[in-house]
Amino acid sequence: MNGKKLLAKGYLWLLLAILYTPILIIAIFSFTETKVLGNWTGFSLKLYTSLFDGGMSHSLLSAIENTIIIALVASTASTALGSIAAIGIYNLKAKPRQAVNFLNNLPLINPDIITGISLFLLFVWLGISQGYTTVILAHITFCTPYVVLSVMPRLKGMNPNIYEAALDLGATPFQALRKVIIPEIKPGIISGFILSFTLSIDDFAVSLFTKGNIGLETLSTYIYSDARKGGLTPELRPLSTIIFVSVLVLLIIINKRSERQAQQKKV
Amino acid sequence: MRQKILRFFTRRSTWASPYILFLLLFVVLPLILIGLYAFMDYEGRFTVSNFTKFIEQPEALNTFIYSVGMAIVTTCLCILLGYPAAYILSDKEFNTSKTLVLLFILPMWVNILIRTLATVSLFDITGIPLGQGALLFGLTYDFLPFMIYPIYNTMTKIDKNLIEAAQDLGANHLQVFVKVIFPLSLPGVLSGIMMVFLPTISTFAISELLTMNDIRLFGSIIQENIMLSDTMNYGAALSLIMLLIIGITCLFDNSSKDSQLNQGGLI
């Protein structure tokens, strides 16, 4: 290994070390009972067990439940809406397609705070009281564009004649959709769903502006109000660790899938 | 007649319509509402007082200028640290592992609050006081992956023949970089700037946590005003100013995020 290569590798690993030190600290201190970070009070799994046996505070538990329910509903709805929309957009004429693509990109360009505030104003203007429904609608709003973008490349890679062939052979358009198009774009749909799910779980700003004041908390908004009060609930450390490891595993799976698809394409 | 209706619903381009309606209601209308509310007073009458208040009130204006400054510094730091990393990651000579790339972009998918709190705990443990320095570190830490990813993406797509052609024509390493690689990587840098600069101006939670509520960025001011019904219109005006900045930044970057996402690759 020559000097230049060593330097390059060294730089990468140094940067990675800085990026991961804070996360590692949280992970390490999830294995001790201390209330204050940095104060090691001996190895213990108590924080992990209290996560699962209901030993932790009720509000954290319901925040976790809300986060998962919202993510499941929102990502399912976005996946359905976005996949059908992608097929539609793909078959639009050039001009309207560009227009819809532009609209589809708006939520991607806007920072979270703008998406959150604009939807907050919409619900105020419509006089809708904010809560579960508004948070889910807001999450569908920022997740669906990602579904459209992950389904679109599959449609572009598809042979356009097989849909026509199915119709010629007597399939109704809905049969052709179910038997021809959907199987072809399925990998894109699955990636879109996973992407939406992680985005929804991860969201903070949009949820904060659309959750209203009925006491609904998601994990992110719970952490926020907790941190503002000063201390962090110790159970958040094992929870963050678990979330971090799950995200890592999910991403590796998605990545392996897309690598495999790329290889299949080459073959 | 029935035939016509049936044909309308089975035409694939029609399937885009539910999503187009959805986009109009949940993306376009809310953005218009920001503009409407910004020019209204508490009772719904037309006024520009929200904007004169912004110019006359030193606190909001100063925070705005300070936030833009912090965002510029953060963006520069991210380019300085991220560009070499993206270059090394994309160069086959130094790195062939996709997993290493994944490790760099993984923090993008970890909750920003958790990452920020992790940095806070790092400062606590090492005894470094929180404040402006900590805020800069935290912002750079939070947004660095968003700079590395688009630059890496553009660099891997540079046609290797161009580099070889330059070498064949007698360019040395430095010349190849300055004349070929750097100009071709600029679209990635621009996307990175979009993904770092805009969210930095508009962050609100991060600055509160990293400076113990000492320093507030523009996002915090927007958030405080929009949530209270009697300053909601002022908050909308501030959001409109934020939208204006987004518009200006977009002018510099025509190849918005979708070109990154459309090209597939990692996620």
Side-chain angles (χ1 to χ4, degrees):
Chain A
M1 204 187 267
N2 59 27
K4 215 172 84 187
K5 203 168 172 184
L6 203 67
L7 195 71
K9 282 272 178 201
Y11 179 70
L12 283 191
W13 288 108
L14 180 72
L15 217 52
L16 271 186
I18 297 171
L19 276 178
Y20 282 89
T21 308
I23 299 169
L24 263 178
I25 291 179
I26 295 231
I28 291 168
F29 281 95
S30 68
F31 291 105
T32 188
E33 283 173 35
T34 177
K35 283 229 154 38
V36 200
L37 271 175
N39 180 18
W40 184 262
T41 53
F43 181 84
S44 154
L45 286 174
K46 184 169 162 275
L47 292 179
Y48 281 90
T49 51
S50 79
L51 256 189
F52 294 104
D53 65 11
M56 65 178 158
S57 70
H58 179 70
S59 51
L60 177 56
L61 192 70
S62 69
I64 298 173
E65 270 173 23
N66 291 337
T67 308
I68 294 174
I69 294 170
I70 289 169
L72 277 177
V73 176
S75 51
T76 310
S78 327
T79 308
L81 181 66
S83 308
I84 294 172
I87 300 170
I89 295 169
Y90 179 69
N91 287 289
L92 283 175
K93 291 198 180 73
K95 272 271 161 61
R97 191 173 62 227
Q98 276 169 4
V100 180
N101 277 336
F102 172 75
L103 291 185
N104 189 56
N105 283 342
L106 279 180
L108 303 176
I109 298 167
N110 282 339
D112 294 348
I113 190 172
I114 292 292
T115 308
I117 285 174
S118 63
L119 285 166
F120 168 79
L121 289 177
L122 175 76
F123 297 133
V124 170
W125 189 66
L126 292 174
I128 299 173
S129 64
Q130 302 187 42
Y132 245 102
T133 325
T134 51
V135 174
I136 288 175
L137 281 172
H139 281 216
I140 296 174
T141 307
F142 70 76
C143 286
T144 315
Y146 288 93
V147 177
V148 173
L149 287 184
S150 60
V151 172
M152 207 52 103
R154 301 293 307 186
L155 284 166
K156 282 181 185 154
M158 201 178 131
N159 181 347
N161 296 326
I162 52 174
Y163 176 79
E164 308 293 338
L167 292 187
D168 288 347
L169 292 169
T172 67
F174 290 109
Q175 281 173 327
L177 171 74
R178 206 159 46 94
K179 305 248 175 184
V180 177
I181 300 183
I182 289 183
E184 281 279 318
I185 61 174
K186 207 166 146 202
I189 296 178
I190 294 173
S191 303
F193 177 81
I194 298 175
L195 203 55
S196 306
F197 189 77
T198 43
L199 283 169
S200 170
I201 288 218
D202 213 32
D203 174 69
F204 161 60
V206 178
S207 307
L208 186 75
F209 286 111
T210 50
K211 73 188 173 67
N213 41 21
I214 55 160
L216 174 68
E217 298 279 4
T218 67
L219 193 54
S220 296
T221 60
Y222 178 87
I223 295 173
Y224 179 57
S225 57
D226 208 32
R228 279 186 119 178
K229 273 182 241 148
L232 253 197
T233 312
E235 273 88 1
L236 283 173
R237 298 198 297 262
L239 191 63
S240 318
T241 312
I242 292 172
I243 293 176
F244 183 77
V245 174
S246 328
V247 172
L248 179 67
V249 171
L250 257 183
L251 274 183
I252 289 177
I253 292 173
I254 299 184
N255 199 38
K256 287 272 179 273
R257 278 176 63 101
S258 62
E259 258 177 31
R260 208 172 50 220
Q261 278 161 28
Q263 270 165 5
Q264 277 171 353
K265 245 187 211 165
K266 270 177 206 156
V267 173
Chain B
M1 186 64 199
R2 226 183 126 245
Q3 269 297 310
K4 257 189 185 164
I5 295 173
L6 192 70
R7 203 171 304 151
F8 175 75
F9 279 108
T10 52
R11 208 169 50 206
R12 278 172 297 166
S13 53
T14 308
W15 298 347
S17 3
Y19 185 51
I20 294 174
L21 284 178
F22 182 88
L23 282 172
L24 291 176
L25 179 61
F26 288 100
V27 176
V28 179
L29 180 61
L31 288 176
I32 295 172
L33 283 176
I34 291 185
L36 275 181
Y37 275 89
F39 286 102
M40 271 180 352
D41 66 6
Y42 184 61
E43 280 154 350
R45 282 182 303 245
F46 174 82
T47 175
V48 288
S49 65
N50 296 319
F51 294 95
T52 48
K53 188 178 168 190
F54 170 67
I55 296 167
E56 282 161 6
Q57 230 185 29
E59 199 214 347
L61 190 61
N62 287 342
T63 311
F64 178 69
I65 295 166
Y66 181 77
S67 303
V68 174
M70 283 300 261
I72 291 174
V73 176
T74 305
T75 313
C76 290
L77 282 174
C78 284
I79 295 176
L80 281 177
L81 290 170
Y83 194 92
Y87 177 78
I88 299 168
L89 282 173
S90 67
D91 194 332
K92 288 261 177 327
E93 192 191 336
F94 300 120
N95 173 50
T96 48
S97 149
K98 272 259 162 101
T99 318
L100 199 59
V101 182
L102 194 67
L103 280 178
F104 270 96
I105 64 159
L106 174 66
M108 269 166 74
W109 304 97
V110 177
N111 192 304
I112 200 153
L113 284 176
I114 292 181
R115 278 192 292 147
T116 307
L117 287 167
T119 358
V120 173
S121 63
L122 179 69
F123 282 112
D124 278 349
I125 288 177
T126 49
I128 299 167
L130 296 172
Q132 183 170 286
L135 179 57
L136 267 182
F137 178 88
L139 287 171
T140 310
Y141 172 80
D142 280 333
F143 291 113
L144 185 59
F146 292 90
M147 182 63 79
I148 295 180
Y149 181 52
I151 300 179
Y152 165 80
N153 234 344
T154 342
M155 280 190 172
T156 48
K157 294 195 176 77
I158 293 177
D159 190 348
K160 294 290 170 290
N161 293 329
L162 290 175
I163 296 169
E164 276 167 25
Q167 283 164 345
D168 289 346
L169 292 169
N172 61 30
H173 268 298
L174 186 69
Q175 282 170 323
V176 168
F177 178 76
V178 175
K179 303 259 179 185
V180 181
I181 300 177
F182 183 70
L184 288 174
S185 68
L186 277 182
V189 179
L190 281 176
S191 297
I193 292 175
M194 285 277 288
M195 291 172 84
V196 174
F197 183 71
L198 293 177
T200 313
I201 301 185
S202 62
T203 53
F204 51 102
I206 299 175
S207 56
E208 290 165 31
L209 297 181
L210 278 166
T211 65
M212 319 231 326
N213 269 329
D214 197 26
I215 300 174
R216 290 183 312 163
L217 295 183
F218 195 51
S220 316
I221 307 266
I222 297 183
Q223 186 223 353
E224 282 160 16
N225 284 297
I226 203 95
M227 301 291 252
L228 300 170
S229 57
D230 49 336
T231 53
M232 198 172 77
N233 296 91
Y234 180 51
L238 298 179
S239 312
L240 192 65
I241 294 168
M242 183 70 219
L243 267 178
L244 214 66
I245 303 234
I246 297 170
I248 294 169
T249 320
C250 284
L251 287 183
F252 287 106
D253 177 41
N254 290 320
S255 60
S256 52
K257 274 193 224 169
D258 81 302
S259 55
Q260 297 290 331
L261 286 159
N262 265 339
Q263 284 155 8
L266 283 153
I267 305 295

